[in-house]
Amino acid sequence: MNFLDKSLDELAQQGWSIADNLLPSSLSLALLQQAQQRWQNQCFHAAAIGREKKQHLNKKIRGDSICWLQPNDCDPTSQQFLAWAQDIQEALNQAFFLGLRRFECHFARYAPGAGYAKHIDQHQHTGFRKISMVLYLNPAWQADLGGELVIYDPESSDEIIANVIPEMGRLVLFRSDSVPHAVLPCHAVRWSLAGWFRNDSDIL
Ligand SMILES: O=C(O)CCC(=O)C(=O)O
Ligand SMILES: [Fe+2]
C-alpha cells in the first residue's frame, strides 16, 4: 500500500489522517520560502471568519494572517503544489465519489500568541468544502512552542483525539463537515498552507 492509500484509508475509517511523507521535502521547503517572500512583500492580510457579508475579524477566535494562492497567477513553486493537489483531488474522487471540482488554499502565518479556536471548516448554509488539508512548514518545531493542531472527536466534541505538532512536511487531511479542530496559541512564528477540496465549480 502506498502512502496516499494509507492516508485515504485512515480518512475513510476515522475522518482524518496525518502523513509525513506525501509531499516531496524539497517542495515543502520551497513553499516555506515562497510564504516568507510573500510575507516580506506584504501580500498577507488578517484572516476573517465566516463568509461573504457575514465575514468579520475576531482575533480572539482566529489570529492568523493569510495569503491566497491564485491558480492563474502564481509562482512556479505554488503552481507545482497546486498540480500536486490536483492529483490528490482525483484520488479523493476515485476513493470516495465526492465530486470534487476545485481546490482553494492559502498560506497562513500565526504570529506568537495567535491561535484558532475550535471550529469546523464547512461554512454554515453551504456545504461546498468537503475535505480540508493542512501542510505544515516549520523546520524543527519544538513541542514547547505550542501551536499544535488539536483534533476533537466528531462524535463527542469535548474529547481530544489527536495533538498534531506543526512540523515541516507534515500533512493533515480531514472531513470539512464534521471534524472539530483548533490551533493552540503558538510561541514562535508558525507557517502553514491550508486548503479545501470543494464540489462547486468556481469562485463567486
Ligand atoms: O493550521 C492548522 O493547523 C489548522 C488551520 C485551520 O483550522 C483553518 O485554517 O481552518
Ligand atoms: Fe480549520
Side-chain angles (χ1 to χ4, degrees):
M1 194 192 278
N2 69 28
F3 292 130
L4 181 57
D5 285 345
K6 185 167 178 292
S7 288
L8 296 181
D9 213 45
E10 285 175 5
L11 196 55
Q13 302 295 325
Q14 55 191 23
W16 55 277
S17 83
I18 303 175
D20 285 340
N21 15 34
L22 281 183
L23 198 76
S25 54
S26 55
L27 182 52
S28 305
L29 202 59
L31 285 165
L32 171 62
Q33 285 160 356
Q34 178 58 219
Q36 288 172 332
Q37 195 176 330
R38 288 177 182 225
W39 174 257
Q40 273 172 8
N41 294 344
Q42 303 188 337
C43 300
F44 280 63
H45 60 270
I49 43 184
R51 57 183 280 277
E52 294 175 31
K53 292 202 180 104
K54 288 207 173 142
Q55 266 203 356
H56 63 283
L57 292 176
N58 187 335
K59 285 217 173 269
K60 279 202 190 117
I61 296 180
R62 177 170 190 188
D64 57 332
S65 296
I66 62 173
C67 176
W68 288 95
L69 275 69
Q70 303 297 348
N72 301 322
D73 175 27
C74 66
D75 59 281
T77 299
S78 302
Q79 267 167 20
Q80 202 182 330
F81 174 75
L82 290 173
W84 179 86
Q86 193 67 40
D87 291 346
I88 302 290
Q89 178 174 308
E90 273 159 38
L92 286 166
N93 276 337
Q94 276 176 20
F96 305 126
F97 307 102
L98 288 171
L100 302 171
R101 298 174 75 182
R102 67 185 180 100
F103 178 68
E104 59 180 2
C105 64
H106 61 60
F107 290 111
R109 180 187 186 273
Y110 289 73
Y116 195 159
K118 191 197 289 185
H119 64 282
I120 62 165
D121 284 348
Q122 202 167 76
H123 292 128
Q124 268 175 352
H125 311 302
T126 65
F128 297 133
R129 286 181 166 182
K130 295 295 177 196
I131 302 288
S132 306
M133 173 198 279
V134 192
L135 171 70
Y136 298 108
L137 301 174
N138 307 290
W141 188 266
Q142 308 288 333
D144 63 358
L145 293 178
E148 292 105 328
L149 168 72
V150 181
I151 300 177
Y152 297 88
D153 187 345
E155 309 287 315
S156 148
S157 73
D158 287 335
E159 244 174 85
I160 295 175
I161 49 178
N163 257 298
V164 185
I165 294 178
E167 181 63 53
M168 182 59 127
R170 184 161 291 158
L171 190 126
V172 184
L173 289 166
F174 55 90
R175 285 178 59 151
S176 306
D177 63 340
S178 59
V179 177
H181 57 282
V183 178
L184 299 183
C186 51
H187 311 303
V189 172
R190 176 191 192 269
W191 296 98
S192 61
L193 183 44
W196 298 271
F197 295 97
R198 306 174 54 121
N199 69 349
D200 57 342
S201 65
D202 220 341
I203 296 168
L204 293 170

